[in-house]
Amino acid sequence: MLNISFLGKSRFECDGKIIEDQLGNKASALICLLVLNEKRYLSREKIIGYLWPDSSQEAAKYNLRYNLWLIKKNIGEDKNGNPFLKVDNDCCCINRNFEFECDILDIMKFKPSENDSIESIIKLKKLFRGDLLEGCYFNKCDEFNNLIIYERINFEQRKVKILKRLVDLYENEDCYEECTEAINEILEIEPFAEDMVLKLLDIHSKNGKRASAISYFNNFCNKLACSLGIPPSNELRNKYNEIRLSLCDNHNEQTASSQNSTSSVDLETSSSKVKLTSSCMKNIDYFWISDVAGKIAEIADEDTISNLSVKEIMDLGHIQGSIMKFVNISPEHEMEHKREVMGVCIVNAFVKLIESFAKGRDVEILILNYKNIDEISSGVLEYLKGKDIHGLNFIEK
Amino acid sequence: MHADILIINGSCMTMENKEIKNWIAISQSRIIALGTGNDYEDVVHEDTIVLDAKGCSVLPGFIDSHFHVVQTALNSVSLDLSGVKTHAEAGEKIREASKSFVGDYIRGIRLEEGQFHEKTFPGRKLLDQYCNDVPVVLNSLEYQVSMLNTCAMLYFKIPFTAEGIETDEKQMPTGIFRKQANAILRSNILKNISDEVRKDAVSGIMETLLMNGITTVNAMEGGTLYSDKDADFVFENSRNFPIDMELFYQTMDIEKIKSMGLKRLGGCLYIDGTLGARTAALSFEYADRPGTMGSLCFNQMEINDFVLNCYKNNLQLALYTIGDRAIEIALNAHENALYQTGITGLRHRLEHAELATDIQINRAKELGIIFSMQPTYESYWGGRGKMYEQRLGDKYALSNPFKKIIEKGVVICGGSDSDVTEPRPLLGIHSAVNHPVEAHRVDVYEALKMFTCNGAYGIFQEKEKGMLKPGFIADIVILDDDILKTAEDKIEKINVCVTIKSGEILYNSLV
């Protein structure tokens, strides 16, 4: 039985005998070319174009003949008397009746299906010993080198696909440790793949390993920062915050109850730390802004509000009445208040309120039902994030 | 005690209270005496080596406070392509290099898209035309882009599924790698460089360093655009080289730092990016790209956590900050950590700190933070018509305000960021004295402090380095002129003629 591996350093085993040294690089490359084109005949001309493009026609033809002979000599026929190659005056191909195993053929046949078993996927995964034709470079064979590059891309993608299938299967079976291992293998190939990191955090969380999730997230952020100079995506950050909060929940009943109770403001023991819970409502302009302003009004002191002018408080008052308790409205102001206010004034007043409130505090604003945030609030939220206000942090759920 | 080495007729700047002596006696690795006039007879012995400084400056050995040792070394054995103007010219240089190259592959460095008439980086097909039998890897100036020929594409492990692989119309890779793909590729390539190669390359640059009077460097190593193996190499091997290397491991892995017994970390721990790439975080828009203000690599909470952790573990931290927005969040984090721990005296540093505002300088002073700065940047990029002005417009005049920083009481230690700029402290000193913005210029003495006593202070070695004092390590340089009497605009012409490291004459052009 012939066993061929092209992933990693090429390996040919024929009836237990290693024969790659006898074949040499060009014959191995020729077999690889024919395997990659297993469903069709390749003309001799085409093969020469791949493997001996710079030789004279005569020399190239001889080289091909010689390598075909070398293959025949070393591989010969299977137990049923089938030759490995079908060769005629014009074309060559792999004999489909010849019994043999080849890593890349097995992998090329793979299509994710419901019938996949963990065992079958692991078997496929093990075939990836390295890159296609690893260590090979064929000088002046531009087309063949391009083909190798093209196929390396394909096999890398297939490897990731196979590993992802394995992750799904393990997850379905609640095999979290194995699932983590498979994700890590993907992350070795794609170390910055945030979707996989997200999955990993999720699996750690499901597996009760929240501390590992937090530690992984921190290391990942460090890697992103050191390697690419970028922060993690909001989605990943939210997942992290969710896990972190759930950790707090376990240790802090007060926090847990604050998220479910009618009192939406959670003041921790330290007055320098404040957690607010806010909500969103689709298509209602300023809803989230109004909600946050209202909650700040509940707990803010005069000092915080005094940074806003009367006009700014009144501007905000248009969307959140409770803020008006901080002003004594004179008749003149009364008139002002009745006028229509520009959206930009409300927004500016709100930003100032937030800045003033966050001064000297760590403020964490949990945004529930974030996907339903209204457009104006969404714009303001992005603006606030961009301002990077010291101590202010948003968590979107 | 008899001197092994005696330096006479010098203008020996002790770097303490501006005191100047005429002679210095050295025994074994230490300075044993200094004096004025000719009162050195007591220390002279028949075996004493006498060096006549002929009235020139004698200074403490220079300390370069920001130096990428391994990268500089590897680049010194790489093909510098900074001067080429066309793809063909680059190709010819590579072809020439391939005839005499030693090692596994040809490495070309210092490329910028704008330098080519074609205004693009060369791809693999172009490179193949000039060299198709040896792997060729080219790096852009700041390592953000790699270019490979086909041979290299098949030789190295390529992250084919990563973002940042440029492709042609047939969806085939062009050989140009950016973003994630570049970071992974660089990591794959650098981790395969053997320590033997590193050792040879680092040994190769020692002569240049000594020739420039450098006796100590702060070795900023590790991190993925570089390689953690560089940091591990310096950690293991620094004692095998003639100059001192103080390792700054560019990692955020505090546990690793602790387990290695290191007392500091950081260097190029990026809080923001570079002005060249318009990624340095500014509080205003880039003049040549309105709407862009650069970006931060961390939010405030994240940097707060990390800095706090460094305080709690008593680690000196060096953060990379260029834009004022990055400096701001770094200072915020330090204030938060100081407030929470009360720990002072760790001499934390901000590396580069090119655009610190007045308020930020005041805050840094309050926090005892050191600025580790690179005056040569101003020679390269400062002033009218150069990169700072292109990026910052009129605000170029805010960059590297050395005088103001010193006046406000913040310690500046000087470095080259080699090999971003040349490892020549005298050029750094020249650049600080001749800052293109007159208001930011410092006097020669202050500029010298940056590369001597302040450098020592930045690594807690001010009790044995950075000054000429009895008992101090005999790290000494003799110049070929008196720097205090040289016209300020000629300082860069001064050369080092003798470098003594720990009492050994390692460079001497007097003989």
Side-chain angles (χ1 to χ4, degrees):
Chain A
M1 177 75 155
L2 175 66
N3 242 304
I4 309 175
S5 304
F6 287 119
L7 296 174
K9 196 176 178 308
S10 299
R11 205 162 61 186
F12 290 77
E13 192 192 313
C14 196
D15 298 327
K17 202 174 137 197
I18 304 297
I19 58 166
E20 59 258 19
D21 286 347
Q22 287 91 314
L23 287 171
N25 273 351
K26 275 283 165 88
S28 302
L30 175 55
I31 296 171
C32 183
L33 186 62
L34 295 173
V35 170
L36 287 169
N37 291 279
E38 52 132 10
K39 287 183 181 153
R40 51 187 168 166
Y41 274 99
L42 273 189
S43 71
R44 283 176 182 255
E45 205 180 328
K46 185 88 180 157
I47 294 169
I48 284 170
Y50 273 122
L51 296 174
W52 294 279
D54 59 327
S55 300
S56 67
Q57 204 181 8
E58 199 62 21
K61 279 184 178 173
Y62 168 77
N63 283 332
L64 177 57
R65 274 201 309 278
Y66 170 75
N67 278 282
L68 288 170
W69 171 80
L70 202 61
I71 293 166
K72 192 175 173 190
K73 178 172 177 272
N74 283 289
I75 296 178
E77 297 171 345
D78 67 8
K79 63 182 181 197
N80 300 319
N82 295 311
F84 178 47
L85 299 181
K86 276 187 175 175
V87 180
D88 61 31
N89 285 340
D90 297 322
C91 301
C92 307
C93 73
I94 301 283
N95 180 1
R96 286 193 211 175
N97 295 323
F98 185 87
E99 261 187 61
F100 75 109
E101 284 186 356
C102 177
D103 54 358
I104 58 175
L105 281 178
D106 290 346
I107 289 163
M108 287 193 295
K109 281 176 203 154
F110 170 73
K111 281 193 180 70
S113 83
E114 285 182 3
N115 301 325
D116 292 333
S117 68
I118 288 176
E119 291 69 31
S120 68
I121 301 291
I122 289 177
K123 198 176 160 198
L124 278 179
K125 190 191 84 163
K126 282 185 178 165
L127 295 175
F128 288 94
R129 293 182 302 116
D131 278 333
L132 179 76
L133 293 178
E134 195 165 293
C136 288
Y137 170 70
F138 298 89
N139 198 11
K140 294 178 183 165
C141 300
D142 296 350
E143 215 178 325
F144 190 64
N145 288 327
N146 272 339
L147 180 73
I148 301 175
I149 290 172
Y150 176 78
E151 291 297 345
R152 281 189 186 177
I153 298 170
N154 285 338
F155 282 104
E156 193 86 320
Q157 287 167 346
R158 286 183 177 114
K159 185 177 180 182
V160 172
K161 198 188 269 184
I162 285 166
L163 285 167
K164 283 186 174 171
R165 184 72 189 113
L166 190 59
V167 168
D168 290 342
L169 291 171
Y170 278 136
E171 193 181 2
N172 292 343
E173 298 285 324
D174 295 340
C175 300
Y176 296 131
E177 295 297 333
E178 293 82 354
C179 188
T180 303
E181 214 172 285
I183 295 171
N184 279 327
E185 282 186 65
I186 298 173
L187 286 168
E188 266 178 41
I189 302 167
E190 299 177 344
F192 306 108
E194 296 207 32
D195 58 336
M196 281 298 111
V197 177
L198 199 63
K199 177 72 114 182
L200 189 69
L201 298 190
D202 200 34
I203 296 295
H204 275 324
S205 180
K206 282 183 183 169
N207 199 16
K209 291 188 165 181
R210 293 194 184 95
S212 299
I214 287 170
S215 159
Y216 191 90
F217 174 84
N218 286 330
N219 286 334
F220 181 70
C221 290
N222 295 346
K223 195 156 67 175
L224 276 185
C226 291
S227 311
L228 303 174
I230 56 168
S233 66
N234 280 344
E235 201 183 357
L236 195 58
R237 217 189 278 266
N238 289 341
K239 182 77 198 171
Y240 163 74
N241 283 324
E242 192 183 296
I243 292 170
R244 205 160 54 99
L245 282 178
S246 67
L247 251 186
C248 294
D249 289 347
N250 291 342
H251 299 288
N252 188 349
E253 281 183 21
Q254 194 185 353
T255 308
S257 63
S258 75
Q259 288 181 21
N260 299 321
S261 69
T262 48
S263 166
S264 51
V265 182
D266 169 26
L267 271 177
E268 290 193 358
T269 47
S270 157
S271 61
S272 65
K273 275 191 173 180
V274 180
K275 279 184 186 175
L276 297 178
T277 304
S278 59
S279 305
C280 303
M281 200 176 287
K282 211 173 186 173
N283 301 329
I284 305 294
D285 287 350
Y286 298 103
F287 187 90
W288 175 77
I289 295 177
S290 165
D291 194 32
V292 174
K295 273 146 194 174
I296 290 177
E298 266 183 71
I299 56 172
D301 52 20
E302 292 282 346
D303 276 356
T304 301
I305 304 296
S306 67
N307 288 324
L308 277 74
S309 68
V310 173
K311 182 180 178 304
E312 283 164 335
I313 295 171
M314 288 170 60
D315 287 343
L316 261 181
H318 279 271
I319 58 159
Q320 178 51 259
S322 64
I323 200 93
M324 296 297 284
K325 69 181 180 188
F326 292 100
V327 281
N328 293 319
I329 304 174
S330 64
E332 187 190 330
H333 285 138
E334 190 88 47
M335 288 295 289
E336 181 75 21
H337 188 52
K338 282 176 185 163
R339 279 192 204 152
E340 198 176 317
V341 67
M342 299 276 286
V344 66
C345 297
I346 297 174
V347 168
N348 282 338
F350 177 71
V351 170
K352 202 163 174 188
L353 175 72
I354 289 275
E355 282 176 331
S356 174
F357 185 66
K359 204 168 184 181
R361 293 190 179 96
D362 278 344
V363 179
E364 208 168 63
I365 301 181
L366 181 68
I367 309 170
L368 299 175
N369 202 16
Y370 169 70
K371 64 178 190 297
N372 282 338
I373 192 166
D374 63 278
E375 208 177 328
I376 294 173
S377 298
S378 169
V380 171
L381 178 60
E382 284 312 305
Y383 177 76
L384 285 169
K385 282 181 191 168
K387 278 191 75 111
D388 244 330
I389 296 168
H390 177 48
L392 180 63
N393 193 26
F394 297 99
I395 302 165
E396 296 149 12
K397 279 190 100 171
Chain B
M1 191 186 283
H2 289 150
D4 298 324
I5 301 169
L6 177 68
I7 301 169
I8 57 169
N9 299 326
S11 170
C12 306
M13 300 179 68
T14 63
M15 302 312 294
E16 189 176 41
N17 304 323
K18 298 195 174 178
E19 207 174 358
I20 292 181
K21 302 280 187 182
N22 299 127
W23 60 265
I24 304 173
I26 299 162
S27 175
Q28 295 184 358
S29 63
R30 302 271 165 176
I31 295 168
I32 52 168
L34 296 98
T36 47
N38 296 324
D39 59 343
Y40 46 75
E41 281 82 7
D42 289 352
V43 295
V44 181
H45 182 259
E46 59 185 8
D47 294 331
T48 301
I49 298 167
V50 179
L51 298 170
D52 188 346
K54 296 176 182 164
C56 299
S57 296
V58 179
L59 296 162
F62 293 131
I63 297 171
D64 190 318
S65 295
H66 192 111
F67 197 109
H68 301 287
V69 175
V70 178
Q71 201 64 31
T72 299
L74 292 174
N75 284 352
S76 73
V77 291
S78 300
L79 182 62
D80 185 350
L81 294 169
S82 58
V84 302
K85 292 190 168 48
T86 62
H87 286 177
E89 209 181 319
E92 287 302 342
K93 277 207 161 196
I94 292 163
R95 194 204 302 272
E96 205 48 46
S98 72
K99 290 175 190 165
S100 57
F101 104 105
V102 185
D104 297 333
Y105 64 99
I106 296 170
R107 184 162 173 259
I109 53 167
R110 294 179 180 277
L111 287 172
E112 289 180 280
E113 248 167 339
Q115 81 186 72
F116 293 109
H117 287 165
E118 294 88 345
K119 297 294 171 203
T120 58
F121 283 125
R124 75 181 164 98
K125 284 186 182 160
L126 185 283
L127 296 174
D128 288 347
Q129 288 172 28
Y130 296 91
C131 183
N132 63 2
D133 53 354
V134 175
V136 175
V137 179
L138 308 183
N139 289 132
S140 65
L141 183 63
E142 289 165 335
Y143 308 109
Q144 303 291 338
V145 185
S146 298
M147 294 139 261
L148 273 63
N149 68 350
T150 302
C151 189
M153 292 264 304
L154 292 171
Y155 181 78
F156 292 109
K157 175 74 189 156
I158 306 294
F160 282 117
T161 58
E163 185 197 343
I165 297 184
E166 195 179 284
T167 55
D168 61 18
E169 63 284 356
K170 291 179 185 165
Q171 300 307 307
M172 285 296 289
T174 62
I176 296 174
F177 297 80
R178 301 171 198 269
K179 298 180 184 172
Q180 298 182 6
N182 178 55
I184 302 167
L185 176 65
R186 273 186 62 77
S187 163
N188 290 346
I189 293 174
L190 292 173
K191 75 183 173 199
N192 286 320
I193 294 175
S194 70
D195 277 357
E196 209 50 42
V197 168
R198 284 186 175 83
K199 192 174 160 197
D200 287 348
V202 173
S203 298
I205 61 166
M206 286 299 129
E207 193 183 345
T208 307
L209 268 57
L210 291 166
M211 211 165 81
N212 285 302
I214 297 172
T215 50
T216 299
V217 293
N218 293 181
M220 308 299 186
E221 312 294 326
T224 306
L225 273 184
Y226 301 97
S227 168
D228 283 356
K229 282 186 77 179
D230 296 345
D232 295 336
F233 170 81
V234 169
F235 181 71
E236 295 287 336
N237 296 282
S238 62
R239 286 183 186 172
N240 300 328
F241 298 104
I243 66 163
D244 292 338
M245 297 182 193
E246 291 303 318
L247 176 61
F248 281 70
Y249 206 132
Q250 301 176 147
T251 178
M252 298 179 83
D253 189 343
I254 289 175
E255 290 309 312
K256 183 175 184 176
I257 293 296
K258 279 163 57 186
S259 70
M260 290 171 80
L262 295 171
K263 292 186 168 62
R264 59 178 64 96
L265 81 167
C268 285
L269 272 186
Y270 297 102
I271 304 299
D272 62 347
T274 64
L275 287 169
R278 300 181 194 83
T279 47
L282 311 178
S283 62
F284 49 90
E285 296 177 355
Y286 279 90
D288 56 353
R289 193 168 291 172
T292 300
M293 294 167 72
S295 53
L296 294 165
C297 305
F298 301 92
N299 67 24
Q300 189 67 63
M301 299 289 244
E302 287 160 354
I303 195 70
N304 280 0
D305 284 350
F306 175 63
V307 173
L308 181 62
N309 239 332
C310 291
Y311 274 66
K312 284 178 178 168
N313 286 288
N314 283 312
L315 292 171
Q316 183 188 21
L317 170 65
L319 289 173
Y320 172 111
T321 55
I322 286 188
D324 56 344
R325 209 146 47 88
I327 295 169
E328 185 73 15
I329 72 159
L331 291 172
N332 291 344
H334 277 290
E335 278 168 356
N336 172 64
L338 179 62
Y339 173 73
Q340 296 211 33
T341 63
I343 296 170
T344 57
L346 290 171
R347 299 186 193 173
H348 300 295
R349 306 169 28 152
L350 295 187
E351 303 299 313
H352 311 310
E354 283 162 67
L355 288 167
T357 64
D358 287 7
I359 296 171
Q360 288 169 344
I361 297 167
N362 289 336
R363 290 170 68 196
K365 161 70 183 157
E366 285 299 308
L367 290 161
I369 283 176
I370 297 168
F371 283 1
S372 163
M373 303 181 77
Q374 291 67 47
T376 306
Y377 285 171
E378 284 297 333
S379 286
Y380 280 37
W381 303 322
R384 286 260 171 231
K386 292 191 182 172
M387 190 268 278
Y388 280 157
E389 193 193 13
Q390 289 161 17
R391 297 287 180 276
L392 307 173
D394 287 344
K395 291 196 172 73
Y396 82 89
L398 301 176
S399 64
N400 299 304
F402 302 124
K403 190 173 183 184
K404 195 186 294 177
I405 294 169
I406 291 166
E407 280 174 356
K408 286 179 182 287
V410 172
V411 173
I412 301 179
C413 47
S416 62
D417 196 9
S418 176
D419 64 345
V420 176
T421 77
E422 301 151 72
R424 280 179 56 206
L426 282 165
L427 177 59
I429 290 159
H430 172 93
S431 305
V433 173
N434 294 280
H435 195 299
V437 178
E438 211 173 323
H440 299 331
R441 290 177 187 170
V442 298
D443 65 34
V444 177
Y445 191 78
E446 284 298 340
L448 282 169
K449 278 172 72 180
M450 293 182 192
F451 288 87
T452 54
C453 50
N454 289 1
Y457 180 81
I459 46 175
F460 291 89
Q461 292 185 0
E462 74 277 14
K463 289 189 176 148
E464 54 178 16
K465 278 184 185 172
M467 288 186 191
L468 301 177
K469 277 178 86 170
F472 272 47
I473 294 173
D475 290 352
I476 300 169
V477 294
I478 305 175
L479 307 183
D480 66 359
D481 208 339
D482 183 340
I483 196 166
L484 294 178
K485 291 180 182 160
T486 305
E488 289 185 344
D489 61 345
K490 298 283 188 294
I491 291 171
E492 64 173 330
K493 308 276 183 207
I494 299 174
N495 292 306
V496 169
C497 49
V498 174
T499 302
I500 299 169
K501 172 71 196 112
S502 299
E504 300 269 342
I505 302 171
L506 296 183
Y507 173 73
N508 186 357
S509 66
L510 291 176
V511 289

